[in-house]
């Protein structure tokens, strides 16, 4: 395993639901990331936290809300999502920002 | 937007052959070029990486070739095996600043 654990692995939600994705890293890393992975597209960076401070919000719609309570945990809160938000959501961490990212296995999200 | 362009989108190679995946970048300030390997149901995992001060880096059967003047780099997989079948992503990063990924190459190695 990579040392980055994501839960749940699969999530199906309706457009009016509220859910949260959780990520935990056991590597002592300082930076954590949320990426969106859609078929045949580059990985899309959504949010970056470095030493618990958000350093990047890549024009992500407000229906996605990140939370980083400490350097080991990262959450992505979801509400009123759209079907086009269906994708694999990957969490990653690194010791130094933007170098040697370690990814979790992702949460496969389906929005109905 | 600064992009990393990756080709081909998919690649089929016979067992024992050489797999070659290419990437091109735009921002000459990028200073770290990793390759990630992703198996179905898993997240990407760092495979090998290079910095622009060298033109080639080899780790086992995997080699990165880097051409700074052309702003291109490539991954070569020698003696390709069915277990190498996965999706490969190149990336380019600017330390402490940014990281961009290619769109991925799905490699299939036939027995």
């Amino acid at each position: 395993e990579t040392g980055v654990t994501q839960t749940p692995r699969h999530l199906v939600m309706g457009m009016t639901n509220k859910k949260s994705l959780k990520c935990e890293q056991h590597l002592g890393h300082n930076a954590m990331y949320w990426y969106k992975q859609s078929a045949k597209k580059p990985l899309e960076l959504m949010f970056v936290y470095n030493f618990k401070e958000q350093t990047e919000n890549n024009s992500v719609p407000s229906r996605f809300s990140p939370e980083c309570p400490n350097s080991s945990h990262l959450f992505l809160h979801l509400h009123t999502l759209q079907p086009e938000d269906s994708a694999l959501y990957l969490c990653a961490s690194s010791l130094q920002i933007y170098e040697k990212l370690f990814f979790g296995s992702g949460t496969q999200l389906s929005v109905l | 937007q600064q992009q990393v362009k990756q080709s081909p989108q998919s690649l089929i190679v016979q067992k024992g052959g050489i797999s070659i995946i290419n990437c091109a970048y735009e921002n000459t300030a990028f200073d770290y070029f990793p390759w990630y390997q992703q198996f179905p149901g898993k997240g990407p995992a760092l495979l090998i990486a290079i910095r622009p001060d060298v033109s080639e880096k080899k780790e086992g059967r995997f080699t990165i070739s880097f051409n700074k003047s052309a702003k291109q780099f490539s991954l070569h997989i020698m003696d390709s095996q069915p277990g190498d079948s996965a999706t490969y992503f190149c990336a380019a990063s600017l330390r402490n600043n940014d990281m961009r990924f290619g769109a991925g190459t799905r490699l299939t190695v036939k027995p």
Side-chain angles (χ1 to χ4, degrees):
Chain A
E1 294 301 324
T2 65
V4 180
T5 304
Q6 288 187 246
T7 54
R9 291 296 309 275
H10 303 273
L11 179 62
V12 179
M13 58 187 289
M15 293 169 62
T16 58
N17 292 158
K18 288 184 181 182
K19 296 286 184 183
S20 295
L21 310 184
K22 180 183 176 182
C23 176
E24 184 174 2
Q25 57 99 356
H26 307 277
L27 301 169
H29 287 169
N30 300 312
M32 296 189 76
Y33 315 74
W34 281 116
Y35 279 91
K36 177 182 179 182
Q37 185 174 32
S38 305
K40 299 183 181 178
K41 286 177 135 181
L43 289 167
E44 296 176 52
L45 179 63
M46 300 176 72
F47 302 104
V48 183
Y49 281 81
N50 197 26
F51 294 96
K52 300 189 297 177
E53 297 296 321
Q54 186 174 314
T55 62
E56 186 91 27
N57 177 341
N58 224 16
S59 303
V60 179
S62 59
R63 56 186 184 269
F64 295 92
S65 173
E67 179 188 0
C68 187
N70 55 62
S71 59
S72 299
H73 293 86
L74 186 64
F75 295 89
L76 188 63
H77 304 298
L78 317 171
H79 64 96
T80 59
L81 294 190
Q82 305 298 310
E84 60 264 28
D85 296 322
S86 299
L88 181 68
Y89 288 84
L90 291 163
C91 172
S93 70
S94 65
L95 185 61
Q96 289 187 326
I97 192 168
Y98 294 120
E99 283 209 357
K100 296 184 182 179
L101 271 61
F102 287 73
F103 285 86
S105 295
T107 295
Q108 186 65 54
L109 174 67
S110 297
V111 181
L112 305 178
Chain B
Q1 246 193 4
Q2 306 290 345
Q3 290 185 342
V4 175
K5 295 183 180 178
Q6 183 172 346
S7 63
Q9 193 174 74
S10 62
L11 180 62
I12 300 174
V13 173
Q14 289 295 127
K15 179 182 175 182
I18 302 174
S19 304
I20 302 174
I21 304 170
N22 301 298
C23 283
Y25 62 97
E26 297 174 5
N27 186 350
T28 55
F30 285 137
D31 59 2
Y32 177 69
F33 301 88
W35 284 89
Y36 286 84
Q37 179 189 55
Q38 184 176 25
F39 292 106
K42 299 288 187 182
L46 180 64
L47 184 63
I48 186 172
I50 197 169
R51 296 202 183 273
D53 53 344
V54 296
S55 60
E56 186 175 283
K57 183 174 181 180
K58 184 176 180 179
E59 289 184 3
R61 296 184 293 109
F62 300 91
T63 300
I64 299 179
S65 296
F66 185 80
N67 186 329
K68 189 173 182 177
S69 60
K71 293 187 288 184
Q72 295 176 347
F73 59 110
S74 59
L75 176 69
H76 296 237
I77 306 174
M78 312 300 288
D79 187 26
S80 299
Q81 300 297 312
D84 296 330
S85 298
T87 300
Y88 293 81
F89 295 91
C90 64
S93 92
L94 178 57
R95 190 179 301 185
N96 299 321
N97 202 310
D98 195 9
M99 176 176 268
R100 301 283 167 167
F101 283 86
T105 296
R106 178 173 285 186
L107 171 65
T108 302
V109 181
K110 294 203 164 181

